[in-house]
Amino acid sequence: MRHKTKTPTEGEIVKAVCEGRREGQTEMVCRYADRVFAMIVRQVGNEMDARELTQDTFLRAFSHIGSYDARKASLSTWLCRIGYHLTLDFQKRRRRQMMFLAETEELLDDVSDEMLETGLSTGKEENIRRLERLIDDLTDDERMLVTLYYYDDLPLAEIAYIMGIEAKPLAKRLYRIRKKLYKKLKEDAREI
């Protein structure tokens, strides 16, 4: 008769890592590395850099496991927070020339929620490609916010924890970013 091995809980994984047991580290990497890597690779666009940052995330997590608080976030969210900060540091060090979309709040006020939703959710292939290019032109933290919310489908509360920002201002920021993208998409469509 075969014995099924019990899948360790997050608490058991954390305890094993705290005790320096290799199986805890292995389980943590096996369980969460794909999620952390997916988040990072969308930000840096280079698999080799993303793999290195993912590895750095886990090394940092292993050495700071004592600071993990299960009451504040799940283990995967905590790991994403570490990866987020390492990715931002990496991008600051290797900043390339980027086009920053101008903050023109007064010009964005005339955009209704319905126009915004319709304009950004259109399924036209050319609009999707243009929107992806515009997202690439966002600042690092804006791109991370859009990625976590739309690509990773995380709730704002988790994103707020990962990014170290309160949820309410984060929601406003996401709304402003969407308006910027909408406005730029409309400008690009007029130029074509």
Side-chain angles (χ1 to χ4, degrees):
M1 187 171 174
R2 289 176 141 174
H3 293 296
K4 287 190 177 184
T5 57
K6 183 183 134 206
T7 304
T9 65
E10 283 190 354
E12 292 168 336
I13 293 170
V14 170
K15 183 177 183 209
V17 172
C18 283
E19 293 171 354
R21 296 194 333 248
R22 192 159 201 69
E23 65 271 11
Q25 294 174 345
T26 301
E27 182 64 31
M28 185 186 289
V29 171
C30 289
R31 192 176 293 185
Y32 304 112
D34 288 344
R35 179 175 182 196
V36 172
F37 174 79
M39 178 193 74
I40 293 171
V41 77
R42 280 193 289 275
Q43 297 306 304
V44 298
N46 177 306
E47 278 195 38
M48 191 178 315
D49 289 336
R51 288 186 198 290
E52 191 171 316
L53 285 165
T54 301
Q55 184 177 21
D56 291 348
T57 298
F58 283 92
L59 291 174
R60 174 91 41 101
F62 298 153
S63 65
H64 292 88
I65 193 71
S67 68
Y68 170 66
D69 185 349
R71 296 169 301 195
K72 290 184 179 178
S74 67
L75 188 55
S76 66
T77 300
W78 182 71
L79 290 166
C80 284
R81 180 182 177 126
I82 293 170
Y84 164 74
H85 288 287
L86 288 174
T87 301
L88 284 183
D89 290 344
F90 171 81
Q91 290 171 321
K92 285 175 188 170
R93 286 191 311 270
R94 295 189 52 196
R95 179 138 348 250
R96 60 184 167 87
Q97 289 294 339
M98 295 178 75
M99 176 187 93
F100 293 100
L101 300 173
E103 290 286 340
T104 52
E105 293 294 324
E106 62 279 353
L107 297 175
L108 297 176
D109 290 337
D110 60 344
V111 179
S112 71
D113 288 340
E114 293 79 25
M115 289 169 59
L116 187 62
E117 194 60 39
T118 303
L120 292 178
S121 63
T122 181
K124 291 183 183 174
E125 191 66 33
E126 73 182 53
N127 278 355
I128 292 171
R129 282 194 303 277
R130 255 191 267 137
L131 189 56
E132 286 173 347
R133 282 193 306 273
L134 292 174
I135 290 170
D136 287 342
D137 289 339
L138 293 172
T139 63
D140 297 336
D141 60 329
E142 288 174 334
R143 190 171 53 254
M144 181 66 81
L145 174 56
V146 168
T147 298
L148 292 172
Y149 189 77
Y150 290 104
Y151 290 94
D152 291 341
D153 201 28
L154 292 179
L156 277 174
E158 268 190 63
I159 298 170
Y161 178 79
I162 290 169
M163 296 180 77
I165 301 170
E166 294 295 319
K168 203 169 202 171
L170 193 66
K172 289 179 183 177
R173 190 173 184 188
L174 181 62
Y175 185 70
R176 280 195 320 269
I177 293 167
R178 291 180 67 204
K179 280 187 165 187
K180 275 196 323 188
L181 290 170
Y182 173 81
K183 182 178 181 285
K184 191 66 178 163
L185 194 62
K186 289 298 178 192
E187 286 173 7
D188 285 358
R190 280 193 296 261
E191 291 173 9
I192 293 176

